[in-house]
Amino acid sequence: MSSASRSDPMRGGGRATGGRAASRGDSMGGGGRATGGHVRLEMFNSLWAMEDLPWHAPRPWTIAEQLDRLVESGFDGVAVDLGARGRPEADELAALREHRLRTAVFAFIRDGADLDAALRYADTIGADRMVVCGCLFDHDLAAVSKTVLHWHRRCAAAGVAMQLETHRNTLTDDIRTTTRLLRELDAEVKLAIDLSHYVCGSEFPLPPTAEIEGHLEALFARAESVQGRIATRCQVQIPLGFPQHRAWEELFQDWWIRAFTAILRRRDHDGSPEPVMFCTELGTTPYAITDRDGSELSDRWADTLTLRDRAEAAFAAADPFERPASSR
C-alpha cells in the first residue's frame, strides 16, 4: 500500500529550511541526523508498532529480529510501551544491547507505584527518557500540575528525562483542557506531541478552525518530541497513500514542521544541542484498520519507513528563525 522510497510525494512539501536542514548520517555511530545548528533528529520506533509484523508472514518477527530491522533501517532508538501486549521483559531487552539502539519507556502512570515500576524498567534497559500518559482525572488543574511536576522531578533524580504525552483518556485528553493545564504546569515539563488523539478524539474539522490552530501553537511551544501517526477525524490511524486521506497527510506534515520549528527555536534560545526525538508509532490492531477477516489493510512496516522519511523532511524544513504564528 505504502512505499518506503525517497520519492514519497510528501517529502518535498512544507516550508523552506532556515539553516537547520537535516541529513541522514551514520545513525548508530552519529546518534541521529546532524543539522547545521548541531541539533540532531533522533528516529525512534515503538516496539508496540512492530507487533504482528511482517505483514502477511507465516510468523512474526522475534524481538531480536525487530531490533535488527530497526538498525538496518537507520533508526536511532526503540521505545517500549509498558502497556503493550507484546512488551518484552526488561531483562530480555537488556540482553540485546549489542544493537546499540537508544531506549525510551512509554508508560501510563496513575500513581507513585506505577512510576516506580516504570523507572525500574527504564534502569534495566538503560533508557534515559520516559514519555508519560498521566491517568489523573481531577478538575483541579493546579493539583494535577503539582503531581505531574513531582513525577517529572522524580524521573530527573533517576537520570530520566520525562515528557508528558498528549493522549486520549488521560489528563491531556482534550486539547482545550490541555492548554489550560499548560498555564498551570511548571515550564520545565515538556510535551510529547501526538496529534492523532486530538484529531480523532475531538473530530477536528478539515481545515482546522483558527481557534484549534491557536491551541496547537500553544502545544508546539511546549513540545519536546513528536510522535508519528496520521489520523482523520474518524480514524485514529490510517494507512498511508490512499487518495481520500491525502489532505490529512499533508496537514500532519505541516504540523510536524511547525512542532520541529518550535523545538529548534527553543534549542537555539537555550543554546542546547539536545537531540529531538521523533517516534513512529503505528500500532497493531485495534489501532490498525482491518478487513472483515481481521487482516490489516496496509503494510505497517512500509508505512513506518515512509513516516521516517517524512519526519526527516519535516525536520529539514523546520525554520527556528521563523516568527511564531501568534506574532505574525
Side-chain angles (χ1 to χ4, degrees):
M1 293 287 184
S2 170
S3 169
S5 76
R6 303 293 179 175
S7 61
D8 176 43
M10 293 294 298
R11 293 191 73 242
R15 306 167 190 172
T17 177
R20 297 274 180 153
S23 62
R24 179 178 285 278
D26 175 8
S27 61
M28 291 293 96
R33 286 86 178 139
T35 75
H38 308 294
V39 176
R40 295 172 286 123
L41 176 66
E42 288 190 332
M43 289 298 309
F44 277 60
N45 188 49
S46 170
L47 278 185
W48 169 58
M50 301 193 78
E51 292 183 23
D52 305 316
L53 292 178
W55 194 37
H56 292 166
R59 67 164 183 85
W61 287 326
T62 64
I63 296 295
E65 289 170 334
Q66 291 173 4
L67 300 180
D68 285 340
R69 298 293 87 75
L70 293 176
V71 172
E72 291 166 2
S73 300
F75 284 84
D76 304 297
V78 60
V80 184
D81 185 336
L82 299 188
R85 292 193 299 259
R87 183 200 76 176
E89 294 298 323
D91 290 339
E92 177 187 4
L93 192 58
L96 300 173
R97 284 184 180 175
E98 66 270 15
H99 288 84
R100 295 192 297 132
L101 291 164
R102 297 190 70 179
T103 51
V105 169
F106 287 17
F108 288 82
I109 302 297
R110 297 165 298 179
D111 52 31
D114 286 345
L115 187 61
D116 287 341
L119 285 172
R120 285 194 298 271
Y121 194 103
D123 181 63
T124 302
I125 68 171
D128 63 355
R129 67 194 79 182
M130 183 186 301
V131 172
V132 166
C133 293
C135 299
L136 299 175
F137 305 99
D138 190 327
H139 293 297
D140 185 347
L141 296 184
V144 169
S145 298
K146 184 177 179 180
T147 299
V148 172
L149 180 60
H150 175 67
W151 292 347
H152 186 274
R153 291 179 174 171
R154 282 194 56 201
C155 287
V160 176
M162 189 200 105
Q163 302 169 26
L164 182 66
E165 182 174 348
T166 58
H167 199 293
R168 291 173 298 169
N169 198 33
T170 71
L171 64 89
T172 57
D173 176 81
D174 173 73
I175 192 170
R176 296 168 180 88
T177 301
T178 300
T179 54
R180 291 199 301 273
L181 174 68
L182 291 179
R183 292 193 286 269
E184 297 279 350
L185 195 58
D186 192 284
E188 67 186 82
V189 181
K190 300 298 190 295
L191 299 178
I193 298 289
D194 184 345
L195 297 178
S196 67
H197 295 288
Y198 290 144
V199 169
C200 181
S202 296
E203 294 196 21
F204 278 12
L206 186 67
T209 63
E211 184 254 348
I212 288 174
E213 289 288 1
H215 290 295
L216 289 170
E217 287 297 329
L219 299 188
F220 296 153
R222 292 288 286 270
E224 182 65 17
S225 69
V226 180
Q227 294 184 17
R229 180 189 303 116
I230 294 175
T232 71
R233 65 182 306 183
C234 296
Q235 286 95 27
V236 74
Q237 177 176 300
I238 58 169
L240 303 183
F242 287 20
Q244 65 268 35
H245 297 151
R246 182 172 178 82
W248 291 102
E249 295 187 39
E250 292 174 344
L251 182 62
F252 271 79
Q253 189 73 4
D254 181 66
W255 283 340
W256 293 344
I257 293 170
R258 289 161 56 189
F260 284 141
T261 294
I263 296 170
L264 289 176
R265 184 182 298 121
R266 191 170 64 249
R267 292 285 194 275
D268 186 74
H269 177 271
D270 296 341
S272 171
E274 182 69 19
V276 180
M277 180 173 71
F278 184 94
C279 185
T280 48
E281 197 180 24
L282 297 180
T284 184
T285 56
Y287 267 63
I289 301 174
T290 60
D291 63 18
R292 65 182 298 168
D293 297 317
S295 297
E296 296 184 31
L297 297 185
S298 68
D299 182 348
R300 272 186 295 115
W301 180 239
D303 284 353
T304 293
L305 299 182
T306 296
L307 291 184
R308 173 203 64 189
D309 293 350
R310 292 183 185 178
E312 290 182 341
F315 194 71
D319 182 358
F321 305 108
E322 181 181 67
R323 288 186 302 164
S326 60
S327 66
R328 292 175 192 165

